[in-house]
């Protein structure tokens, strides 16, 4: 229409232009809707799976490793609830009135033990080059979703804040994952290794039965979490590193535990591979999960929008001396529990109880308890 | 017209987060020009007019409130039942109404004492009437036991039926009256200690000053700049992930927070306090009973969706709830707790320069002291709490002043409140780091905490039977031992060195694994 035209021709073109414009608008709207629907459906597709992961449900999980063996007791073993009552370490009853079931107060030496566990764990993991953090415990729900959780699902584990788009975190994995949201990091910055301490909140909707007594399943707890962002080629290696750190931590506390390579039915959408640590809990007479290490490869990072720019190599410099900017790549993310305090308290109390009713504190923790070596029954 | 209990619930006792220095001329200007309610929203922790602690209160009668009228009129009042009842001593209020009225005025509360007294009188009269009718109904019932003529019996049956209907109506009215009386009376603020100055922030009295501002011979940085240079916090990432006024602590700041909490707990435990960690999600009724208003306009309280639960803004709330609705033995008193928790505050209505960086945040760690004691001893324990705070902060080397807060700044629960304001050289002013309140029986009347005095031999009657003494209401007190972000501001700004490092106070060093200072990192 830019050239010279007869009026009739011009008119025809104007008509044609108008029709095209309308058709385009409709199609463009359809395209947006299609893209949206594609996103919604595609986001449901779970991460790929590591070739070595067993296929099936919980029964199919494979034992990777076992450390230690169950302690032999020559006196009747008490569970952590009974020990807690006798040693005046927790109060579930008052908390039930004030807050509801599965809430608790820690008292006396349990407070000190929680702090010692957190302190020691942070110190140990920092020694391995992780940057310590504390994190927000209220986050936007979009960040929760990008990490692979579902705030609004039926039986959701996530508490939402009234009149807002915010939620309470169930794990520090979420706010730490969000730190580098929508950004490009330099390859030289990788790996980014964080160890984060936070309180965690979980609704535990849908959880019922005996596996919920006392500290085993609670709505609020303290946790130290490890989080790594790395190059794609290195995530398997860092997964091994994380599980090794966990193994070191738990064995130095004297716990007996097994490490499982979780089967496909138990992975959850984000994990490419997941190792669970189940520690022996003599009072509960079974193994209980105290930790989990997941390699989420690019599942979370594709949603969080975290990429890295590979460093240029001299060979890519073009003839004109202009360096080619390498295309960015998606990072891989991994997360692993360094210390989930209530489950650790169950382990420590039940495993290290003595015949006289006291509980011995593992040696590595003693520098962090101000030298306190044991918890003794109180005279009443 | 919705009832509004301004100041009937202080937002948060333990930290007054919107302290504007007395010397700031701009704040004085704003104090004078804005209406009092807006003042409250901006410059004190008391929000703008708050809704009552119940969902809806509609009063269809116009002022003056309920007159001495037949019982039928009370049914015009649509009152939503209070979710819980406070053990308020109405008779005492009536017998001391002048003092209560003066106190209400001094506190700038809009509790309606006249209405409370009227409702109370009405209630007493109605009670008498109900008693009388019950008596008559019993008479009729007794008469019907004997031998009667059929006509007489029929008359009595009629009479009994009428009495029963009248009684039912009156009893319903009595319930409504009691509910309305509760709602109105719960707005009445606590009494005030005679030594408390009357007035607003300007009238607060200096109790004590410890130390003096450090003289710097190099340019002083504020905590935000120090935090950036020492890579100690990240507000930007948190703004994306969570929103403004959230933050990550990094590197040595993490260790410093843990050292502060650890050291504080240890020090306070030495003084006989039982350490606790608490739930951070509580039922909203517990929040209300402590004197806060989860549902008020500009509330400080986060609520959980689809539930009656809230996030705590201070451990005072879950600790106050421990002995809710119970009777403790006198020998158990005093009960002294030191509780560590995270705290969550919406900071709705807070704006301006007093909100930069760590000074005003939505989430923070805090160590709180809480005492339950006998009535005669609360003044003494108030002194003990402020002494502990003074010891803690001076051993860290801080310079601070302790203020006896004036009546306008007390909030509903406090009988007396001491605030500690520490010198923050980077912000070039004093900022509140702690608050110690004696709430006497305000919270305990709502939480229902009583104690049974020990029997004394002299009360044993002739038959050798000991008299069980009537229970008494406990007194409660609370005081901030350590509010971590404000302490971080103080430590960073006061102990910065010329080379950009920050020196860690000696008492904390055993808790930092021996680390003595935070140094700039090479980049």
């Amino acid at each position: 229409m830019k050239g010279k035209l007869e009026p009739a021709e011009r008119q025809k073109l104007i008509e044609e232009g108008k029709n095209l414009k309308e058709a385009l608008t409709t199609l463009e709207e359809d395209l947006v809707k299609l893209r949206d629907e594609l996103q919604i459906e595609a986001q449901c597709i779970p991460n790929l799976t590591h070739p070595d992961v067993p296929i099936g449900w919980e029964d199919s999980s494979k034992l990777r490793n076992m450390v230690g063996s169950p302690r032999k007791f020559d006196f009747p073993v008490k569970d952590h609830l009974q020990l807690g009552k006798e040693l005046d370490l927790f109060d579930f009853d008052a908390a039930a009135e004030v807050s509801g079931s599965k809430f608790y107060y820690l008292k006396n030496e349990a407070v000190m033990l929680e702090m010692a566990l957190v302190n020691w764990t942070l110190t140990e993991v920092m020694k391995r080059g992780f940057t310590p953090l504390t994190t927000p415990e209220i986050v936007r729900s979009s960040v929760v979703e990008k990490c692979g959780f579902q705030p609004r699902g039926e039986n959701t584990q996530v508490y939402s804040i009234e009149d807002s788009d915010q939620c309470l975190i169930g794990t520090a994995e979420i706010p730490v994952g969000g730190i580098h949201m929508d950004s490009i990091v330099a390859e030289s910055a990788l790996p980014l290794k964080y160890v984060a301490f936070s309180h965690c909140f979980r609704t535990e909707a849908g959880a019922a039965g005996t596996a919920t007594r006392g500290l085993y399943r609670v709505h609020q707890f303290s946790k130290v979490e490890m989080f790594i962002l790395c190059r794609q080629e290195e995530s398997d290696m860092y997964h091994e590193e994380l599980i090794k750190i966990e193994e070191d931590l738990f064995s130095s506390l004297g716990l007996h535990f097994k490490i499982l390579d979780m089967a496909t039915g138990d992975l959850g959408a984000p994990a490419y591979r997941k190792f669970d640590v189940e520690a022996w809990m003599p009072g509960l007479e079974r193994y209980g999960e105290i930790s989990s290490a997941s390699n989420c490869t690019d599942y979370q990072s594709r949603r969080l929008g975290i990429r890295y720019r590979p460093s240029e190599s001299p060979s890519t410099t073009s003839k004109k001396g202009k360096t080619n900017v390498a295309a960015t790549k998606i990072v891989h993310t991994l997360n692993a529990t360094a210390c989930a305090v209530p489950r650790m308290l169950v382990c420590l109390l039940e495993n290290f109880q003595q015949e006289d009713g006291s509980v011995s504190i593992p040696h590595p923790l003693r520098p962090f308890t101000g030298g306190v070596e044991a918890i003794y029954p109180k005279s009443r | 017209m919705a009832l509004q209990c301004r100041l009937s619930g202080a937002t948060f006792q333990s930290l007054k987060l919107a302290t504007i220095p007395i010397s700031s001329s701009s704040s004085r200007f704003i104090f004078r020009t804005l209406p009092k309610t807006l003042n409250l929203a901006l410059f004190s922790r008391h929000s703008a007019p708050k809704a009552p602690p119940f969902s809806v209160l509609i009063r269809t009668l116009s002022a003056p409130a309920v007159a001495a009228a037949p019982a039928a009129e009370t049914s015009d009042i649509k009152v939503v039942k209070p979710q819980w009842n406070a053990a308020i001593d109405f008779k005492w209020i009536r017998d001391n109404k002048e003092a209560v009225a003066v106190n209400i005025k001094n506190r700038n509360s809009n509790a309606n004492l006249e209405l409370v007294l009227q409702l109370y009188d009405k209630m007493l009269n109605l009670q008498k009437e109900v008693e009388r009718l019950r008596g008559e109904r019993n008479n009729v019932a007794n008469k019907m036991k004997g031998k009667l003529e059929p006509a007489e019996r029929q008359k009595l049956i009629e009479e009994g039926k009428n009495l029963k209907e009248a009684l039912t109506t009156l009893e319903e009215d009595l319930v409504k009256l009691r509910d309305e009386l509760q709602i109105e009376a719960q707005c009445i603020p606590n009494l005030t200690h005679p030594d408390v100055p009357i007035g607003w922030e300007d009238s607060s009295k200096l109790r004590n000053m410890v130390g003096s501002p450090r003289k710097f011979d190099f340019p002083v940085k504020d905590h935000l700049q120090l935090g950036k240079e020492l890579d100690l916090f990240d507000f930007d990432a948190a703004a994306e992930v969570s929103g403004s006024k959230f933050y990550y602590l990094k590197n040595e700041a993490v260790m410093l927070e843990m050292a502060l909490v650890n050291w504080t707990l240890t020090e306070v435990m030495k003084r006989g306090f039982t350490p606790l960690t608490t739930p951070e999600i509580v039922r909203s009724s517990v929040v209300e009973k402590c004197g806060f208003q989860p549902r008020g306009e500009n509330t400080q309280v986060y609520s959980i969706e689809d539930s009656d639960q809230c996030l705590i803004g201070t451990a005072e709330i879950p600790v106050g709830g421990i002995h809710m609705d119970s009777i403790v033995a006198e020998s158990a008193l005093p009960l002294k707790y030191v509780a560590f928790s995270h705290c969550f505050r919406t900071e709705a209505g807070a704006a301006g320069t007093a909100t930069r960086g760590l000074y005003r945040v939505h989430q923070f760690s805090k160590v709180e002291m809480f005492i339950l004691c006998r009535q005669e001893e609360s003044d003494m324990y108030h002194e003990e709490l402020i002494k502990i705070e003074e010891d803690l902060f001076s051993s860290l080397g801080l310079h601070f002043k302790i203020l006896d807060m004036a009546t306008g700044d007390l909030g509903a629960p406090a009988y007396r409140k001491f605030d500690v304001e520490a010198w923050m050289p980077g912000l070039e002013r004093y900022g509140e780091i702690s608050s110690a309140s004696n709430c006497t029986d305000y919270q305990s009347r709502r939480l229902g905490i009583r104690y049974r005095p020990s029997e004394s031999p002299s009360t044993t009657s002739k038959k050798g039977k000991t008299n069980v003494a009537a229970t008494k209401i406990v007194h409660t007190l609370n005081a901030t031992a350590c509010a971590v972000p404000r302490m971080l501001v103080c430590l960073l700004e006061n102990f910065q060195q010329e080379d950009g490092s920050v020196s860690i106070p000696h008492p904390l060093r055993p808790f930092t694994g021996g680390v003595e200072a935070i140094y700039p990192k090479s980049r």
Side-chain angles (χ1 to χ4, degrees), chain B residues 39 41 65 119 142 148 166 168 230 280 323 391 403 462 465:
Chain B
N39 256 352
L119 288 173
N142 285 335
L148 296 166
T168 306
L230 297 169
E280 289 153 14
H323 298 285
D391 288 349
L403 304 169
K462 270 192 285 201
K465 202 164 156 213

Side-chain angles (χ1 to χ4, degrees), chain B residues 359-375:
Chain B
Y359 194 82
R360 191 177 308 283
V361 288
H362 288 305
Q363 172 193 321
F364 57 97
S365 297
K366 181 165 68 62
V367 181
E368 182 81 359
M369 298 180 283
F370 195 95
I371 294 182
L372 300 97
C373 65
R374 300 178 323 168
Q375 303 171 1

Side-chain angles (χ1 to χ4, degrees), chain B residues 344-482:
Chain B
F344 302 89
R345 301 188 183 187
T346 65
E347 297 298 345
T353 45
T355 62
R356 290 192 68 219
L358 290 175
Y359 194 82
R360 191 177 308 283
V361 288
H362 288 305
Q363 172 193 321
F364 57 97
S365 297
K366 181 165 68 62
V367 181
E368 182 81 359
M369 298 180 283
F370 195 95
I371 294 182
L372 300 97
C373 65
R374 300 178 323 168
Q375 303 171 1
E376 315 77 77
E377 300 183 321
S378 55
D379 280 336
M380 176 186 88
Y381 285 118
H382 199 200
E383 294 293 327
E384 178 174 317
L385 286 169
I386 195 65
K387 179 71 171 53
I388 293 175
E389 291 185 353
E390 204 172 316
D391 288 349
L392 290 172
F393 305 143
S394 47
S395 57
L396 288 180
L398 300 182
H399 160 50
F400 56 93
K401 51 186 182 175
I402 303 181
L403 304 169
D404 197 346
M405 302 311 285
T407 48
D409 258 338
L410 286 182
Y415 176 72
R416 193 177 199 185
K417 187 159 88 86
F418 299 137
D419 276 10
V420 180
E421 297 189 358
W423 180 242
M424 299 176 174
L427 295 176
E428 291 179 307
R429 62 182 184 82
Y430 290 91
E432 182 190 332
I433 58 168
S434 166
S435 190
S437 299
N438 178 2
C439 296
T440 62
D441 61 355
Y442 184 95
Q443 293 179 328
S444 43
R445 283 187 181 279
R446 288 154 176 73
L447 291 165
I449 309 176
R450 310 184 71 89
Y451 71 97
R452 188 175 302 286
S454 323
E455 287 110 26
S456 56
S458 60
T459 63
T460 311
S461 73
K462 270 192 285 201
K463 282 194 170 163
K465 202 164 156 213
T466 46
N467 291 331
V468 175
T471 59
K472 295 184 178 184
I473 287 274
V474 303
H475 276 197
T476 65
L477 303 98
N478 65 79
T480 323
C482 178

Side-chain angles (χ1 to χ4, degrees), chain A residues 136 138-140 143 165-166, chain B residues 234-248 302 362:
Chain A
I138 293 179
V139 298
R140 301 185 202 270
V143 182
D165 70 338
Q166 294 169 317
Chain B
D234 190 335
F235 279 87
D236 296 333
E240 294 301 314
V241 170
S242 308
S244 70
K245 298 199 190 69
F246 283 99
Y247 57 98
Y248 296 81
Y302 284 101
H362 288 305

